[in-house]
Amino acid sequence: MLMVGISFAGQSPSRKPSQPDVFLITIDTLRADHVHCYGYDRVQTPALDTLAKNGIRFSQAFTPSPITNTSHTTILTGLLPSVHGVTDFAIPLAPTHPT
């Protein structure tokens, strides 16, 4: 249900070389076995292929929840749903949990 990719871009002038720009790309409801960079040849996905080639492509990913906002909250806080409390739609993240 959720594919996550991280791509490292060029350095911005105000950042130190050891601090790359990080882009987190999540796509809901996309099967990896229907994306070209994961081996599917019946469709072309040039933008995703380029990101996969120049960034980091995960061949295995796991989600703590099949609910998108719960999974995104886990990605952005590093906390499990039982800790951050976003366990269903319309449940906001408490301001005590930084992202």
Side-chain angles (χ1 to χ4, degrees):
M1 177 173 150
L2 182 68
M3 184 177 90
V4 178
I6 299 177
S7 177
F8 295 93
Q11 302 294 325
S12 66
S14 63
R15 290 184 178 221
K16 297 177 185 175
S18 63
Q19 298 176 327
D21 293 327
V22 176
F23 299 93
L24 171 66
I25 299 167
T26 65
I27 303 172
D28 188 22
T29 320
L30 174 67
R31 292 174 33 170
D33 64 347
H34 279 68
V35 178
H36 190 262
C37 65
Y38 284 94
Y40 190 68
D41 290 330
R42 294 179 59 195
V43 68
Q44 299 297 311
T45 52
L48 292 176
D49 295 346
T50 300
L51 286 170
K53 180 181 176 184
N54 296 324
I56 298 171
R57 182 182 63 87
F58 295 93
S59 60
Q60 293 184 343
F62 303 92
T63 183
S65 171
I67 300 170
T68 303
N69 62 329
T70 302
S71 295
H72 283 153
T73 302
T74 295
I75 292 167
L76 296 172
T77 64
L79 303 172
L80 291 173
S82 60
V83 177
H84 62 61
V86 179
T87 56
D88 208 343
F89 296 104
I91 297 177
L93 178 64
T96 56
H97 298 302
T99 57

